């Protein structure tokens, strides 16, 4: 049981690190998107189907 708990804790730590990295990358790309909108003078940009 202890070995399973240790393995679970390790895997949860790895998952948490991956989630933090993903969030950082999403924020980076979002920032690039906002900068591109600012550079082009756009106020709104969306690829969502309901905006077509």
């Amino acid at each position: 049981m202890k070995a399973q708990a240790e393995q679970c804790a390790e895997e949860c730590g790895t998952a948490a690190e991956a989630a933090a990295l993903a969030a950082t990358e999403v924020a980076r790309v979002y920032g690039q998107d906002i900068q591109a909108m600012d550079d082009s003078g756009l106020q709104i940009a969306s690829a969502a189907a309901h905006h077509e």
Side-chain angles (χ1 to χ4, degrees), residues 4-5 9 24 37 50:
Q4 285 179 321
T24 299
M37 284 178 51
H50 66 271

Side-chain angles (χ1 to χ4, degrees), residues 3-13:
Q4 285 179 321
E6 289 172 348
Q7 181 180 357
C8 182
E10 182 179 330
E11 290 174 3
C12 287

Side-chain angles (χ1 to χ4, degrees), residues 3-4 7 10-13 15-16 18 20-21 25-28 31-32 36 38-39 46 49-50:
Q4 285 179 321
Q7 181 180 357
E10 182 179 330
E11 290 174 3
C12 287
L21 177 60
E25 289 302 306
V26 167
R28 182 184 61 79
Q32 291 174 343
D38 289 346
D39 292 348
S46 176
H50 66 271

